[in-house]
Amino acid sequence: MEAAQLTLAIRSTLNTTRIIQQYMQHQNLAKRYRARRRRQRGHVSDQDMDTDFSESMGPANACIMVLMGQVHAVERRFWARETSTDWWDRIVLQVWDDSQWLRNFRMRKGTFMELCDLLSPALRRMNTKMRAALTVEKRVAIALWKLATPDSYLSVGNQFGVGKSTVGAAVMQVAHAIKDLLISRVVTLGNVQVIVDGFAAMGFPNCGGAIDGTHIPILAQEHQAAEYINHKGYFSIVLQALVDHKGRFTNINVGWPGKVHDARIFRNSGLFQKLQEGTLFPDQKITVGDVEMPICILGDPAYPLMPWLMKPYTGSLDSSQELFNYRLSKCRMEEECAFGRLKARWCSLLTRLDLSETNIPTVITACCVLHNICESKGETFMAG
């Protein structure tokens, strides 16, 4: 080697050594500064005794440190707990008949697959390098199982071979998808004349629906607990619903605290405004005696008497008033039965919903949509 090349090589080595020394000094100063800050804050841990290479380290410096033996290169590995999905893949999807689907998911397999197709645009996920995404069918099945049973998130996760946090995420993803994609298509008035004819067959003419409210138990926030105590003494959120002659919800309002009276909820709802403006039903009147009667809805004594809202007589009654109350009550039974089937199908509504205040109305709304789907598809209600 010539003298000039030897001199250049020595200079290069000295420059590299100086860079390494400066880097090490900088790291030591940074480590001491962080340790001093931790002591000042009262946070001292074992990490103060180790060199932290997570900050101020570029690719070139990392290579130098590896060459010097200060850092040992290790292969990255992703860890995941082993779970089994055989029950869902091989038993439920391939072996179960319609009665088992109906008993556990509240709908037959054909209805379930139609629901998955409707929700697919909002629920489909892409696979990643770390793991395969849950299928739409499995995501919907997890949500339906959790809504239909009082099982815990851990129990449902063990059933489907996923973590309990995945169960919680699936429930809310499916609930939001149902609310965004299906509520305007499923919870709707439909053919008004068919509803009027249905109630007329029960004995009440020119009726467009029955209205009532029901309480859904919740775990109330501590700072708002008093607002959610209802007249029965437990914390709840009110679901107000208008029901047709077949027990399907045609209008819902959910989210008011259990302490609020039904009449106040009704007066502050969009349904009241539409009825007051006469935009909910067509202008179809009949003559009863010498009075023109528009299409009306039926309510219990808690609701106000309006030209378009009929409620039962109270106090001492004559025979005609008793007959009126009987026919009105017979039509209003559809409302009570609808709430009963709603809560019996989706048993999570019978337990105290352990969700955030913003998520509870979404889940209740999703249950109402699922109720209408089951009713319209003729899914047999299994009282047991």
Side-chain angles (χ1 to χ4, degrees), residues 13 125 143 165 167 256 376 384:
T13 303
R125 300 291 187 270
S165 61
V167 175
W256 284 82
S376 62

Side-chain angles (χ1 to χ4, degrees), residues 268-307:
N268 286 276
S269 66
L271 176 63
F272 180 89
Q273 184 176 358
K274 290 180 180 179
L275 289 166
Q276 189 78 332
E277 296 172 351
T279 58
L280 181 66
F281 298 120
D283 187 14
Q284 176 180 319
K285 298 180 180 180
I286 62 172
T287 302
V288 180
D290 57 350
V291 177
E292 284 192 341
M293 174 183 170
I295 296 178
C296 65
I297 63 174
L298 310 179
D300 62 22
Y303 290 93
L305 181 63
M306 307 290 289

Side-chain angles (χ1 to χ4, degrees), residues 6-194:
L6 180 59
T7 302
L8 183 62
I10 292 173
R11 287 179 179 176
S12 177
T13 303
L14 292 175
N15 288 335
T16 302
T17 303
R18 185 171 63 254
I19 291 173
I20 293 174
Q21 289 176 344
Q22 290 176 352
Y23 177 79
M24 293 300 295
Q25 290 174 357
H26 173 74
Q27 288 295 320
N28 288 333
L29 289 174
K31 182 184 70 172
R32 292 173 184 172
Y33 173 75
R34 285 192 294 272
R36 186 170 66 252
R37 293 288 293 175
R38 287 174 180 271
R39 287 194 297 270
Q40 291 174 352
R41 296 173 182 175
H43 301 290
V44 181
S45 65
D46 294 339
Q47 294 179 351
D48 296 336
M49 304 302 295
D50 301 325
T51 303
D52 186 0
F53 299 109
S54 61
E55 301 176 3
S56 304
M57 179 181 287
N61 291 333
C63 293
I64 293 173
M65 298 303 292
V66 171
L67 292 174
M68 292 179 62
Q70 297 293 327
V71 177
H72 301 282
V74 295
E75 181 183 357
R76 281 190 174 275
R77 294 167 55 190
F78 294 98
W79 177 88
R81 181 181 287 111
E82 291 292 334
T83 56
S84 175
T85 61
D86 289 347
W87 176 78
W88 166 253
D89 296 328
R90 301 182 182 181
I91 303 299
V92 178
L93 288 178
Q94 299 181 20
V95 178
W96 276 14
D97 57 19
D98 278 345
S99 64
Q100 290 172 299
W101 276 87
L102 188 62
R103 187 179 305 112
N104 292 280
F105 294 103
R106 307 304 191 244
M107 60 184 67
R108 292 167 293 180
K109 187 176 181 179
T111 305
F112 174 84
M113 291 303 177
E114 289 183 27
L115 176 64
C116 292
D117 290 340
L118 293 173
L119 299 179
S120 180
L123 296 179
R124 193 177 303 279
R125 300 291 187 270
M126 299 295 294
N127 294 335
T128 66
K129 294 182 179 179
M130 291 185 287
R131 66 184 67 186
L134 289 179
T135 62
V136 174
E137 292 76 13
K138 189 171 184 178
R139 203 180 300 270
V140 175
I142 290 172
L144 294 187
W145 189 284
K146 183 66 180 75
L147 294 175
T149 66
D151 295 355
S152 66
Y153 289 97
L154 180 60
S155 176
V156 178
N158 291 337
Q159 193 84 357
F160 286 88
V162 298
K164 63 180 182 179
S165 61
T166 303
V167 175
V171 170
M172 292 314 306
Q173 289 166 2
V174 172
H176 280 293
I178 290 174
K179 182 178 178 181
D180 294 341
L181 299 179
L182 300 184
I183 187 170
S184 59
R185 300 170 55 179
V186 177
V187 182
T188 181
L189 194 59
N191 191 324
V192 177
Q193 189 57 49
V194 172

Side-chain angles (χ1 to χ4, degrees), residues 232-285:
K232 295 182 180 180
Y234 62 88
F235 302 117
S236 66
I237 274 183
V238 180
L239 165 63
Q240 174 191 272
L242 184 68
V243 172
D244 67 8
H245 64 294
K246 290 189 175 181
R248 292 175 296 195
F249 301 120
T250 58
N251 183 283
I252 60 174
N253 183 293
V254 58
W256 284 82
K259 186 179 179 180
V260 182
H261 193 270
D262 287 350
R264 180 185 172 192
I265 296 173
F266 177 57
R267 287 187 179 276
N268 286 276
S269 66
L271 176 63
F272 180 89
Q273 184 176 358
K274 290 180 180 179
L275 289 166
Q276 189 78 332
E277 296 172 351
T279 58
L280 181 66
F281 298 120
D283 187 14
Q284 176 180 319
K285 298 180 180 180

